[in-house]
Amino acid sequence: MLGNPEFPLLSKDGDITIGGVFSIHSQISKPPLSFTDTPEPLICSRINFREFRFAQTMIFAIEEINNSSSLLPNISIGYKLFDSCGSTLPSTRALMGLINGQERTLAKICHGQSSVHAIIGASESSSTIVMLQISGIFQIPVISHFATCACLSNRKEYPSFFRTIPSDYYQSRALAKLVKQFGWTWVGAVRSDNDYGNNGMATFIAAASQEGVCVEYSEAISRTDPKEQVARVVRVIRSGSARVLVAFLAQSEMDILLEEALNQNLTGLQWVGVESWITAGNFANRKYSSILIGTVGFTIRKAKITGLREFLLQVNPRQDPQNTLLREFWEASFDCTFQSGLQGQNQCTGSERLQDINNLFTDVSQLRISNNVYKAVYAMAHAMHNMLKCGQSGDVMNLSCNWKDNLDPQQVVKHLQGVNFTLQSGESVYFDRNGDPVATYELVNWQRDQAGDIVFVAVGSYNASEPNGKQFTMNGINITWAAESPKRPQSVCSESCLPGFRQAAIKGKPICCFSCISCAAGEISNSNNSAECSRCPLEYWSNEDHSQCIPKVIEFLSHGETMGAILTTFSLFGASLTSVVLCIFFQFRDTPLVKASNSELSFLLLFSLTLCFLCSLTFIGRPTEWSCMLRHTAFGITFALCMSCVLAKTIAVVIAFRARRPSNTVLQCSAPLQRTSVLSCTLLQVVVCVLWLTLAPPFPYKNTAHASERIILECDLGSPIGFWTVLGYIGVLATLCLILAFLARKLPDNFNEAKFITFSMLIFCAVWITFIPAYVSSPGKLTVAVEIFAILASSFGLLFCIFTPKCYILLMKPERNTKKQMMRKN
């Protein structure tokens, strides 16, 4: 049977008339255009049971209101229902028929006021937009139950538009969060080539990009496209690497896509659907189960409408035998015909029972869009009720309305904006400033029941009014995935980067396609797919796999390591050897050799050398505040004492051999001078060290600049001037000793001590001259090792060069330890 979109399919008179525009037929003829003859009228065919249920739901709601004594009392509501055929041109003609009230939209007679006071519809965004372009001129309120394009929320362009279904602005973002929630960062997309699909997909792609999801391809199809175009789109889907397909399609485009998908055996994809088809029962059959099983997507919440099923089951062509739509519906429902004489066709009697069949018209288990139609009618009724001030006359018994012959459409829009009521089901109905309802969705999953049939199971929800992070929730029900796999499918362009790696963009590819690069030294990533590596804090370093920061190795010269143990051993050995020499000298203190060597200075020199060996131990171990101050000052003072003793001995040798007085007199005069010179030279160094410690003392310092992977714990000099002053003062004393000893090296005596002092000073100066560049260039704990080595080397040089010859005579050549031998000249 065929329908003509220029005439109302169902109508009833009333005080208030509400127009309805539904896609009752899903196919439309394409008459040839010769441009010489009048075009043939558009003919719609293939009745859509679901849309016909929407239309009957509108009639049911109107009849329910007409029978109500509390809503619009003494006011009757009529209706005029037109067919948009799911296309824009019939929608335009339907609107002209609603506004003009004539059978022909371009008749000579034109009323000054629209024949309808409000319009419910249409079921598509594009059809709704073309209707609003005309109805908006007259400010006629339009409430859509199924037009979801976000563009319709523009109040400047569509001030008289309302809807009872959420805007795709929210659904598109919910879809983006959904694919991100399931870890799908690489998806394909197909859309209807109309306002609904193009706007919805554009919003989805933008939202998906913000969520880090990439779209491999985005194809568009229209129900009027040739089969070759649809086949090409399916081939693109098959050849793509994305295993998830977001289908932002209207039912008509979804229908032709599935047919071609069956032809090309397109299986194994995870489908993500939208509210237009996700709960469409005509797709939930065994024919498409291999393709669509496991589908997930958002839809509006389902509801129960008391009495609707009984009302639907009463629909019968006997209600209006002349109505072609009812006859067409009956023939399609029971696969029969009212025309007699057709062979091979069952004859319709009109006595068939709708209770005996199950189709999309009689199925009220998924009342979602039907509930939107129901809410739209009630919203319009409440707006009229408030505008006519029904039941507000002050008389309790008077519940009538203040009827007006000419209802101002702008006043209807104004009151419609302010409606806020609750249905019998407990659902609240109101509109925001854009004419949109609160955006709440159910996440449904296509699963099989025990009978093997596909059912829609709610597995989660989305509420746009909740704050971020709480909008999307799962209810804990297990989800069936594509191909009924127990595991969630993976759809990524590149495998996840493990902790310790970061993503690196591949030139010419989307951001979801990347290579994994190991984090640099000192940087980590502790989660999968890190975009950047994080640098560790100053005192931390990356572990071996760069997945976490661990404390840096603290480096200092310790007693436990090999170098520290060796230096400690040499230090203790030097101190012990010096003590042995001291004991030997004490044992032979009355012998001529010891006396000739100035025993008092020799004992003081041996004592200072012992301190020099021991002060090197303060350089080994973990630096502390006290050890840092002690090590350099102890070193400076002990070496100053040592050099003062050597200088005094050298001066004593020179005075002894240059003096013209008897030797006893010289010794008696030189002893106080020696003590004074040793004390004054040492005291000067003490003063320098005290000033250093007072003004800018050394302190422990964590050196992170020299080696990035470890912390060098060292003693900061505090004042480099203080350190180099101490060291320079020791150098001055050593230089004086070297000069004087060198000048006295050829003095006539069998035992000339100046010669040995010269050798010791040469070693001392060589060591410390070499120390300076080595100290400056050595890294880390080697700096401390170089300083200790210089201390030990110079101390051993003094000990061996000055005291070894004497110990040799004392122990090995006692016959030479006589006054005669000491006084004999070479």
Side-chain angles (χ1 to χ4, degrees):
M1 300 292 291
L2 305 177
N4 193 325
E6 297 183 7
F7 303 100
L9 300 178
L10 297 168
S11 63
K12 180 181 179 179
D13 293 334
D15 298 324
I16 298 173
T17 304
I18 299 178
V21 180
F22 301 94
S23 303
I24 296 177
H25 293 89
S26 57
Q27 287 186 353
I28 185 171
S29 65
K30 290 184 177 180
L33 299 177
S34 63
F35 298 101
T36 57
D37 300 324
T38 302
E40 297 179 8
L42 295 174
I43 303 298
C44 299
S45 61
R46 193 177 177 185
I47 191 169
N48 187 322
F49 288 136
R50 190 186 188 202
E51 290 282 338
F52 187 56
R53 179 179 9 112
F54 298 163
Q56 290 295 328
T57 302
M58 175 180 168
I59 297 174
F60 168 77
I62 290 175
E63 295 297 340
E64 196 174 63
I65 295 169
N66 285 337
N67 294 328
S68 172
S69 59
S70 59
L71 187 61
L72 288 175
N74 78 304
I75 298 293
S76 64
I77 302 178
Y79 55 84
K80 290 183 179 181
L81 300 185
F82 279 77
D83 185 7
S84 70
C85 301
S87 184
T88 55
L89 183 55
S91 299
T92 304
R93 292 188 174 184
L95 180 72
M96 296 300 294
L98 287 171
I99 294 177
N100 192 45
Q102 304 297 310
E103 290 186 350
R104 291 289 180 178
T105 59
L106 297 179
K108 295 181 180 178
I109 301 174
C110 184
H111 295 293
Q113 185 179 1
S114 169
S115 65
V116 295
H117 301 95
I119 300 173
I120 307 296
S123 296
E124 302 85 16
S125 295
S126 295
S127 297
T128 305
I129 290 172
V130 298
M131 288 169 51
L132 287 169
Q133 290 172 348
I134 301 174
S135 66
I137 300 174
F138 305 99
Q139 292 289 301
I140 300 174
V142 175
I143 307 181
S144 177
H145 57 284
F146 215 175
T148 57
C149 180
C151 59
L152 289 168
S153 296
N154 189 334
R155 264 293 183 250
K156 291 184 178 180
E157 290 190 31
Y158 311 111
S160 59
F161 174 74
F162 300 84
R163 54 183 159 191
T164 53
I165 189 169
S167 166
D168 280 336
Y169 174 87
Y170 303 103
Q171 181 179 215
S172 297
R173 280 159 175 75
L175 289 173
K177 291 183 181 295
L178 174 68
V179 295
K180 181 64 174 180
Q181 173 81 11
F182 291 149
W184 300 327
T185 59
W186 186 241
V187 300
V190 60
R191 67 188 187 277
S192 295
D193 193 9
N194 53 29
D195 294 286
Y196 167 72
N198 292 330
N199 283 278
M201 184 56 68
T203 305
F204 168 76
I205 292 175
S209 178
Q210 294 176 356
E211 297 287 344
V213 177
C214 298
V215 178
E216 181 183 10
Y217 55 84
S218 179
E219 296 292 328
I221 60 173
S222 173
R223 65 175 179 170
T224 58
D225 284 342
K227 188 176 180 180
E228 293 75 14
Q229 168 65 12
V230 181
R232 184 197 67 81
V233 171
V234 175
R235 287 195 298 270
V236 171
I237 297 172
R238 284 174 56 87
S239 61
S241 60
R243 306 315 304 158
V244 173
L245 179 63
V246 179
F248 219 108
L249 297 167
Q251 276 197 63
S252 54
E253 281 79 23
M254 186 66 181
D255 195 3
I256 63 173
L257 181 67
L258 287 177
E259 288 295 332
E260 184 60 32
L262 279 177
N263 293 336
Q264 298 191 28
N265 192 26
L266 179 64
T267 59
L269 280 181
Q270 175 65 53
W271 290 71
V272 178
V274 290
E275 92 296 326
S276 64
W277 64 267
I278 192 65
T279 56
N282 56 313
F283 298 143
N285 52 47
R286 297 183 183 274
K287 179 181 179 182
Y288 299 128
S289 62
S290 61
I291 299 176
L292 295 179
I293 187 67
T295 295
V296 293
F298 289 107
T299 185
I300 60 175
R301 297 183 184 277
K302 65 179 180 180
K304 291 183 179 180
I305 303 177
T306 304
L308 177 61
R309 176 172 170 79
E310 291 74 14
F311 180 83
L312 296 177
L313 295 178
Q314 294 176 3
V315 174
N316 192 289
R318 293 176 179 177
Q319 295 174 336
D320 186 359
Q322 303 303 318
N323 190 291
T324 57
L325 176 61
L326 294 178
R327 295 167 62 88
E328 180 186 358
F329 161 70
W330 204 258
E331 290 176 342
S333 297
F334 295 99
D335 192 20
C336 61
T337 179
F338 282 100
Q339 297 181 18
S340 59
L342 293 179
Q343 295 183 353
Q345 292 283 337
N346 296 325
Q347 190 70 30
C348 294
T349 64
S351 60
E352 294 86 357
R353 288 163 41 92
L354 289 175
Q355 292 90 333
D356 298 333
I357 63 172
N358 184 21
N359 58 23
L360 292 179
F361 178 77
T362 60
D363 183 12
V364 293
S365 62
Q366 298 286 332
L367 293 181
R368 303 177 190 271
I369 308 303
S370 296
N371 189 49
N372 285 350
V373 177
Y374 187 76
K375 289 189 292 185
V377 175
Y378 265 86
M380 194 64 69
H382 276 274
M384 294 288 188
H385 184 91
N386 296 334
M387 186 180 70
L388 298 175
K389 299 180 180 180
C390 299
Q392 299 179 19
S393 62
D395 188 353
V396 178
M397 300 300 296
N398 184 10
L399 297 178
S400 63
C401 303
N402 299 324
W403 174 247
K404 299 177 182 179
D405 290 332
N406 295 323
L407 297 179
D408 185 1
Q410 292 185 358
Q411 289 299 313
V412 179
V413 171
K414 177 182 177 181
H415 285 84
L416 191 58
Q417 181 70 67
V419 296
N420 191 336
F421 62 94
T422 302
L423 296 172
Q424 293 180 359
S425 62
E427 183 179 0
S428 297
V429 179
Y430 58 91
F431 302 105
D432 65 12
R433 61 182 181 180
N434 296 321
D436 295 329
V438 175
T440 58
Y441 298 96
E442 278 185 352
L443 176 64
V444 297
N445 178 221
W446 290 33
Q447 302 183 6
R448 292 189 190 275
D449 59 12
Q450 293 181 349
D453 297 325
I454 292 180
V455 293
F456 309 127
V457 180
V459 295
S461 62
Y462 181 87
N463 190 340
S465 62
E466 294 289 340
N468 284 333
K470 296 182 179 180
Q471 296 174 333
F472 184 69
T473 57
M474 303 293 292
N475 58 18
I477 298 178
N478 291 332
I479 297 178
T480 298
W481 303 108
E484 300 184 81
S485 171
K487 293 184 178 180
R488 184 168 60 209
Q490 299 296 317
S491 185
V492 294
C493 181
S494 301
E495 291 298 325
S496 298
C497 291
L498 298 176
F501 293 83
R502 66 172 179 86
Q503 297 177 351
I506 301 175
K507 188 176 181 180
K509 294 285 187 75
I511 60 172
C512 299
C513 302
F514 49 81
S515 57
C516 297
I517 298 178
S518 177
C519 293
E523 296 181 346
I524 66 159
S525 63
N526 53 12
S527 62
N528 291 336
N529 293 328
S530 295
E532 296 291 340
C533 295
S534 302
R535 180 163 291 280
C536 290
L538 189 61
E539 296 188 5
Y540 288 81
W541 195 248
S542 55
N543 61 353
E544 186 175 352
D545 58 3
H546 300 276
S547 61
Q548 61 179 343
C549 291
I550 57 176
K552 287 182 178 179
V553 175
I554 297 179
E555 181 183 277
F556 58 88
L557 188 62
S558 66
H559 298 281
E561 59 182 294
T562 303
M563 184 184 298
I566 292 174
L567 292 175
T568 300
T569 301
F570 274 98
S571 177
L572 295 176
F573 173 72
S576 301
L577 186 61
T578 306
S579 299
V580 170
V581 174
L582 182 62
C583 293
I584 293 173
F585 263 61
F586 184 78
Q587 180 68 28
F588 294 96
R589 64 186 178 278
D590 295 327
T591 60
L593 178 60
V594 175
K595 290 181 179 180
S597 300
N598 197 333
S599 59
E600 184 178 344
L601 284 179
S602 295
F603 285 123
L604 189 57
L605 178 58
L606 288 170
F607 172 73
S608 64
L609 282 175
T610 303
L611 295 179
C612 288
F613 281 114
L614 293 177
C615 82
S616 63
L617 296 177
T618 61
F619 288 83
I620 304 174
R622 188 183 187 92
T624 63
E625 186 175 353
W626 284 103
S627 66
C628 286
M629 290 190 293
L630 180 62
R631 63 171 57 172
H632 290 103
T633 54
F635 154 71
I637 293 173
T638 54
F639 264 82
L641 176 61
C642 182
M643 288 298 100
S644 298
C645 293
V646 174
L647 181 60
K649 287 177 69 69
T650 306
I651 293 173
V653 171
V654 173
I655 292 175
F657 285 95
R658 298 287 185 180
R660 297 179 180 178
R661 298 180 181 181
S663 59
N664 289 338
T665 306
V666 172
L667 289 175
Q668 291 175 0
C669 295
S670 62
L673 180 61
Q674 293 170 4
R675 297 190 191 100
T676 303
S677 62
V678 170
L679 180 61
S680 59
C681 290
T682 305
L683 189 60
L684 185 59
Q685 183 75 304
V686 171
V687 171
V688 173
C689 290
V690 169
L691 289 174
W692 182 13
L693 294 179
T694 302
L695 298 177
F699 59 89
Y701 169 66
K702 293 180 179 179
N703 187 348
T704 58
H706 188 274
S708 55
E709 74 283 359
R710 63 185 188 275
I711 297 175
I712 301 173
L713 195 58
E714 59 188 15
C715 287
D716 190 278
L717 296 175
S719 172
I721 296 175
F723 172 74
W724 291 110
T725 301
V726 168
L727 195 63
Y729 180 69
I730 296 172
V732 170
L733 294 179
T735 303
L736 290 175
C737 291
L738 176 62
I739 293 173
L740 292 176
F742 180 78
L743 294 176
R745 71 188 187 285
K746 293 185 178 180
L747 293 177
D749 191 359
N750 190 36
F751 184 79
N752 188 356
E753 194 174 22
K755 180 169 55 178
F756 303 117
I757 293 176
T758 302
F759 288 137
S760 66
M761 287 299 100
L762 286 173
I763 295 174
F764 185 92
C765 292
V767 167
W768 286 101
I769 291 174
T770 307
F771 160 79
I772 294 174
Y775 179 83
V776 172
S777 61
S778 298
K781 59 185 178 182
L782 293 181
T783 304
V784 179
V786 167
E787 192 167 358
I788 295 174
F789 176 79
I791 293 172
L792 294 179
S794 56
S795 299
F796 276 114
L798 290 172
L799 179 64
F800 287 137
C801 290
I802 294 177
F803 292 98
T804 299
K806 298 174 183 179
C807 290
Y808 174 76
I809 294 173
L810 292 174
L811 298 176
M812 307 300 294
K813 299 291 184 179
E815 67 276 9
R816 294 175 57 183
N817 188 8
T818 62
K819 187 175 182 180
K820 182 179 179 181
Q821 286 292 327
M822 294 300 104
M823 298 301 295
R824 187 172 63 85
K825 297 180 180 181
N826 293 325

